[in-house]
Amino acid sequence: DTEVTQTPKHLVMGMTNKKSLKCEQHMGHRAMYWYKQKAKKPPELMFVYSYEKLSINESVPSRFSPECPNSSLLNLHLHALQPEDSALYLCASSQVPTGPGELFFGEGSRLTVL
Amino acid sequence: KQEVTQIPAALSVPEGENLVLNCSFTDSAIYNLQWFRQDPGKGLTSLLLIQSSQREQTSGRLNASLDKSSGRSTLYIAASQPGDSATYLCAAYNQAGTALIFGKGTTLSVSS
């Protein structure tokens, strides 16, 4: 099973709302990632968790708050977002935190901020 | 800082043609390189992973090569089909080996 599951698939929220994106994998991977992808652009790294600890934060605004409750789950908590935060949010996992692990991506959560 | 460039940005071919997608990277000390496919509005599907010690990998009609000395990788698609229409992304690890850096992709359209 090489599956990364993301929920919800679509999310519409106002700028004052609080919502969360969820990601789950059961491949025993110990590294999990959040990427952000704007339309017609490549994915951009946001956060990396290695053995359930935050190892990389690519200077992401604090209105995005990641959480890794256990080795299978990754959340992205959203609060006071801006319309420019509308994008496809992709979760990925890999077997090891550093190369040469293969990354497996989920289908993404399409976020629209009104 | 690792930078990844893909050429061409878009490509249209008739069904049955063999084609090559190009990827170049700035830091030759890469851990590995991965090719992905992305359909519109969807997530990324891993196609091929080439480890730094390898020269090429094959999966079905796909063949990816890696030349670290020149900082280049190519994805060869044989006998293209309309179902191959998608955006193909090349990604190489950053210098710390902690995360993949993506090129902007090549959008392929195969007509029947």
Side-chain angles (χ1 to χ4, degrees):
Chain A
D1 181 12
T2 56
E3 189 170 283
V4 176
T5 303
Q6 291 188 241
T7 56
K9 287 184 170 30
H10 300 276
L11 177 64
V12 179
M13 60 186 293
M15 291 190 286
T16 58
N17 292 157
K18 287 185 180 181
K19 297 287 185 181
S20 297
L21 305 180
K22 299 183 184 301
C23 175
E24 188 170 6
Q25 57 87 15
H26 295 287
M27 295 178 278
H29 290 173
R30 302 309 298 273
M32 296 187 77
Y33 310 76
W34 281 114
Y35 279 83
K36 173 182 177 179
Q37 187 178 28
K38 302 282 279 184
K40 300 191 183 302
K41 299 288 187 182
E44 294 180 346
L45 181 67
M46 299 176 71
F47 303 104
V48 180
Y49 272 83
S50 171
Y51 295 100
E52 296 87 67
K53 294 190 187 304
L54 183 65
S55 60
I56 293 178
N57 177 340
E58 290 288 337
S59 302
V60 179
S62 60
R63 58 185 183 269
F64 295 92
S65 176
E67 177 195 23
C68 190
N70 59 56
S71 60
S72 299
L73 294 174
L74 184 66
N75 298 320
L76 186 62
H77 302 298
L78 314 171
H79 174 57
L81 295 191
Q82 304 296 313
E84 59 264 29
D85 296 322
S86 298
L88 182 66
Y89 289 84
L90 295 161
C91 174
S93 70
S94 67
Q95 190 170 18
V96 293
T98 60
E102 183 175 5
L103 252 67
F104 295 90
F105 280 82
E107 285 292 318
S109 292
R110 173 76 58 189
L111 173 67
T112 302
V113 182
L114 301 177
Chain B
K1 178 184 175 183
Q2 181 70 278
E3 294 182 2
V4 180
T5 304
Q6 290 188 247
I7 296 173
L11 183 62
S12 293
V13 300
E15 182 177 7
E17 275 205 7
N18 302 324
L19 55 101
V20 174
L21 307 182
N22 297 293
C23 172
S24 61
F25 46 91
T26 54
D27 185 0
S28 61
I30 64 171
Y31 288 91
N32 63 26
L33 188 138
Q34 197 166 350
W35 283 92
F36 294 89
R37 168 187 173 139
Q38 186 173 32
D39 293 291
K42 301 292 187 179
L44 278 66
T45 300
S46 178
L47 296 174
L48 289 165
L49 170 73
I50 310 177
Q51 297 188 1
S52 61
S53 59
Q54 298 175 320
R55 294 297 300 267
E56 66 178 276
Q57 279 284 352
T58 298
S59 176
R61 294 183 294 107
L62 305 179
N63 175 277
S65 67
L66 175 64
D67 183 346
K68 290 201 305 179
S69 62
S70 66
R72 293 182 182 181
S73 176
T74 61
L75 179 66
Y76 176 82
I77 302 177
S80 59
Q81 303 171 357
D84 294 331
S85 299
T87 296
Y88 291 81
L89 292 157
C90 167
Y93 268 95
N94 60 3
Q95 288 181 328
T98 51
L100 280 178
I101 306 301
F102 285 84
K104 293 184 177 180
T106 294
T107 298
L108 173 64
S109 176
V110 181
S111 56
S112 56

